[in-house]
Structure formats: C-alpha cells, structure tokens
Amino acid sequence: MKIFILALIIIATFFITPVQSQWVTSFGDFVAVEALAANGTNIIAATHNNGIYHSTNNGTNWAAASTGLPVASITYKLAFNGNDVFAVTDGNWGMYRSTNNGTLWTQSGLNGIWLTSIFIDSSNMFVGTNGNGVYLSTDNGTNWTQTNTGLGFSIGIWAFAKIGANLFAGGGSSLGEGVFMSTDNGANWTRPANTGISAQSIKTLSVIGNNLFAGTFSNGMLLSTDHGENWTAINSGLTNLGVKASLAVGNNLFAGTYGGGVFLSTNNGANWSAQNTGLTYLYVTSFAIADGKLYAGHFGVSSRPLSEMITTSVQEIKGHNLPSNFSLEQNYPNPFNPQTAIGFSLLAVGNVTLKVYDVLGREVATLLNNETMQAGRHEIQFNGSTLTSGVYFYRLSVDGKFSETKKLVLMK
C-alpha cells in the first residue's frame, strides 16, 4: 500500500510541476497581438487587423473593445495614463483614447499621421511617428506640439526611455539612425556618438539604473553605460536576434524575440536564458505586468508568474518597477548646472524625506517632507539656481527602514 501511495505521489509530481511553472495561454490562438497594456486588473490587447480586446479580471475573460476605432487601423502601442488608455495607430489614423478600458474610443489628435510609439513621463506624453519625428502633449492628448529640433523628420521613432533628465528616442529607417537624446523634454535633440550601433535600427529601449538597453530589428540587444555614446552587443545565450519587445523588472531584463520566444537576463545582458516552457508561439511582440504575472503578446496572450522566473521579495508591483530593495541613486548629471535628477527606489510603501545639505550640514533644500509614496522607482528634480557653486549632500530617509546620503556638485 505504501509503495502504491508513493508511486501516486511521484506521478502527480511529474505531471503537476510543469503546469505550475510554465506559460499559460489565456486569449486568442492564431490572433496576432501587436501591443499590450495593463492597469490594475485591466489588460488591453491590440491585435493585427482584428481590433482591440480587453480583460477586467487579469486575463481570465476577454471581450471585444474596438468601438470607435477605424476598421483598417493597426495599433502598434498601447499605454495607460491614469485610468485613460491610448492607442497608437498606423495608416495615418492618429491617436485614440478610451476613458472606459476600451469600451469606447475617440480620436485624440494627430490624425493624418502614422504613429509608432508612445512614452508617458508624468504630465508629458511623447509620441513617435513614421516620418514626422516626435510630438508632445502636456494635457493628456488634447493638444500636440511637434518637437523635432535637431532630430529631423525622416526617421521612424519606435521607442523611448529616460534616465534622469535625459530622454532617449530610438530611431530606424532603411539606413538605421540609432538613438537620440534630449535634456529638455524634447525641445531640442542631439545624437550621441552611437559607436557600436552602426546601421542597426532600434525597436525597443529599456533602462536599469544608468544602463540603457536597445533591442534591434535583427542584431539582438545592445548596452550603453554612457548615455548612448558607446554601445556593446550583449547576445550571449540570446539565440534569436530579432528583438520585438523588452521590459526591465527591477534588475531583471526580459526580451521578446521574433521566433525565439522570451529570454531573461539577470546580469545586465551579460547572459540570457530562454523562458519558453509552455509558450506555444515564439513570436513575442509585447509585454505587460498585472497581478504579479508577466503577460506576453504573440499569436494570442500568455502569462506566467514573475516569481517563477525571477527572485524578489517585493510584494507590490507598481507599473513596470519591481525594486529588490531600498536604494538611492547618484544624481545625474553630476556635476550639474543648475538642475539635476535624483532617483530612488522603494521596496514598499513608506513616508519619504529627501533633503539637500551644504558641507557644514545646514539644510538648503527640502525636496520631499515625510510624503507617503508607493513601492517602485521614483525621480525628483532638484534646481540649484539659488545656491553657489560647491559640494552638497542629499539624504533620503524612509520611515525608520532606510537612510542614505550621497554627494552632488553644483558647478556654475
């Protein structure tokens, strides 16, 4: 009898364990998904020529959600801004917005323009185009301004990312244009040296700390540690070099490839490992996070708990940020004149104080004063225009759980 029970346990373990540690498809076999976005329990999936679908219960059930959208449109990117969701469409259809999770869509400007990408940074909404540069809205998509000084119009802007006060735009054309940078919210753009990019067109951009990662159409992943001046190929273990999507989760980086499935790097791209158990379709186009799971768009939508792929003690996921501890980043730029960005990460919700002191320990600025903030990465701008040149210190305190001090240099 004991032998029989032991045999049953072994058989159950053999069959159950793989089911608990693999991708599970929840939507749309043979429906090509172009984009995903998530907000709370709401997940929006945009398909290729089959409209938009939404789920209000973390992917358990899906319903069509295309009312108001042009029939012929393809949505390249989706993004939530608060409770509003924006759809970036091709074919000169412009921008569409829904205030009810996709039940109804209305036109939100940029009609007649082929859109390719979207990036939301606080009250700034940046949109990339195919041949018309970059547009900026500061009023949630009601009005748009073209911001192309130094950028030009001929390239397609497929991706955005930000490190400190530096906004990056990844471009691509038949020749490949690399990465551009703006330090003034897109008003002016410069092109870093881009040494190592050559003629590679950029499809995705992601950030971990001060590391900027670029996914290319056919040359895998690239890494820059100096804001786009120099790039290094980081493809060890990445068996498919057509990168369609990337997503940073804490110190972990996921790459979605066109034919090779999902890959994960836990060491800034030095090595990659496939994460494809149970993933039926390996043409991965997009990622989103909801309910502690990573969702992947392909010919349908699949999900897998993040805890099965990465190790973290964080209980709350805020957007795409999943910090593994409390941390205070070095301000950038440093030295600075007169403005700099200070980034920090919170392991959990806490009351945050951030102050600046001179070399004698006198408080010269209070940036945050016991403010309640959620888990995730945050960034505060500090303007030292009223101070004299010199060395200063900034100190972050979170309840009684964490405190750290770093030095910054104001050079006028």
Side-chain angles (χ1 to χ4, degrees):
M1 183 66 178
K2 290 182 179 179
I3 295 176
F4 176 73
I5 294 174
L6 179 60
L8 287 179
I9 294 174
I10 293 173
I11 293 172
T13 302
F14 178 80
F15 283 103
I16 292 174
T17 300
V19 174
Q20 293 176 336
S21 59
Q22 66 181 14
W23 293 89
V24 175
T25 299
S26 63
F27 165 72
D29 282 350
F30 301 109
V31 177
V33 173
E34 291 282 348
L36 289 173
N39 182 32
T41 60
N42 298 302
I43 305 174
I44 311 292
T47 69
H48 190 94
N49 282 335
N50 283 280
I52 289 179
Y53 291 79
H54 73 170
S55 171
T56 59
N57 52 11
N58 290 316
T60 301
N61 304 105
W62 295 84
S66 300
T67 302
L69 283 173
V71 175
S73 69
I74 298 173
T75 297
Y76 278 130
K77 295 290 177 66
L78 294 164
F80 275 96
N81 191 22
N83 291 320
D84 294 349
V85 60
F86 289 83
V88 170
T89 66
D90 77 345
N92 303 330
W93 295 107
M95 176 72 75
Y96 280 77
R97 175 173 58 195
S98 174
T99 59
N100 50 16
N101 293 314
T103 301
L104 178 66
W105 297 87
T106 56
Q107 225 278 336
S108 187
L110 301 178
N111 53 304
I113 300 174
W114 187 321
L115 308 183
T116 55
S117 54
I118 184 170
F119 179 75
I120 298 174
D121 178 40
S122 186
S123 61
N124 296 317
M125 184 182 302
F126 298 92
V127 170
T129 72
N130 186 15
N132 287 277
V134 174
Y135 284 81
L136 167 66
S137 175
T138 59
D139 55 9
N140 202 37
T142 301
N143 297 283
W144 296 90
T145 302
Q146 204 168 26
T147 55
N148 288 331
T149 302
L151 182 64
F153 300 88
S154 62
I155 66 173
I157 300 299
W158 292 92
F160 294 95
K162 194 172 185 183
I163 299 177
N166 298 310
L167 176 67
F168 297 92
S173 69
S174 59
L175 299 178
E177 298 288 351
V179 173
F180 292 81
M181 182 176 72
S182 173
T183 60
D184 52 11
N185 284 322
N188 297 278
W189 295 88
T190 59
R191 188 178 188 274
N194 277 313
T195 302
I197 281 186
S198 185
Q200 300 172 36
S201 296
I202 306 303
K203 179 63 177 175
T204 74
L205 290 174
S206 292
V207 169
I208 298 178
N210 285 318
N211 295 321
L212 179 62
F213 299 90
T216 69
F217 280 88
S218 58
N219 292 281
M221 293 292 297
L222 302 170
L223 166 64
S224 175
T225 59
D226 55 7
H227 297 86
E229 294 294 330
N230 297 280
W231 294 86
T232 303
I234 47 169
N235 294 325
S236 178
L238 192 66
T239 56
N240 187 288
L241 302 184
V243 179
K244 298 280 286 186
S246 64
L247 177 63
V249 184
N251 293 319
N252 307 280
L253 184 64
F254 288 94
T257 66
Y258 207 62
V262 176
F263 291 82
L264 167 65
S265 176
T266 60
N267 53 10
N268 289 318
N271 302 100
W272 296 88
S273 60
Q275 304 289 315
N276 292 329
T277 303
L279 192 63
T280 307
Y281 304 105
L282 301 182
Y283 294 86
V284 177
T285 60
S286 49
F287 290 124
I289 291 177
D291 192 34
K293 298 176 182 178
L294 179 66
Y295 288 78
H298 44 77
F299 289 101
V301 178
S302 296
S303 65
R304 184 175 180 181
L306 283 165
S307 60
E308 294 178 357
M309 296 178 284
I310 61 178
T311 301
T312 178
S313 60
V314 175
Q315 300 300 313
E316 179 180 357
I317 297 174
K318 184 70 174 176
H320 289 167
N321 298 315
L322 190 63
S324 57
N325 50 34
F326 292 98
S327 65
L328 176 63
E329 300 172 14
Q330 184 63 53
N331 66 298
Y332 188 86
N334 189 40
F336 69 100
N337 177 31
Q339 187 157 309
T340 190
I342 299 174
F344 58 91
S345 295
L346 303 182
L347 176 64
V349 64
N351 297 315
V352 180
T353 298
L354 180 60
K355 296 183 177 182
V356 181
Y357 303 88
D358 64 16
V359 292
L360 298 178
R362 297 174 298 196
E363 180 181 324
V364 297
T366 298
L367 307 182
L368 295 170
N369 187 20
N370 202 38
E371 295 188 22
T372 301
M373 304 186 76
Q374 299 298 314
R377 185 184 182 277
H378 303 269
E379 186 174 281
I380 301 296
Q381 298 292 320
F382 171 54
N383 192 312
S385 58
T386 62
L387 303 176
T388 59
S389 297
V391 176
Y392 295 86
F393 297 88
Y394 58 102
R395 181 177 181 83
L396 177 73
S397 301
V398 186
D399 297 323
K401 306 172 185 176
F402 175 82
S403 66
E404 187 173 1
T405 302
K406 289 185 180 292
K407 182 174 69 174
L408 47 74
V409 179
L410 174 59
M411 187 177 295
K412 294 185 175 180

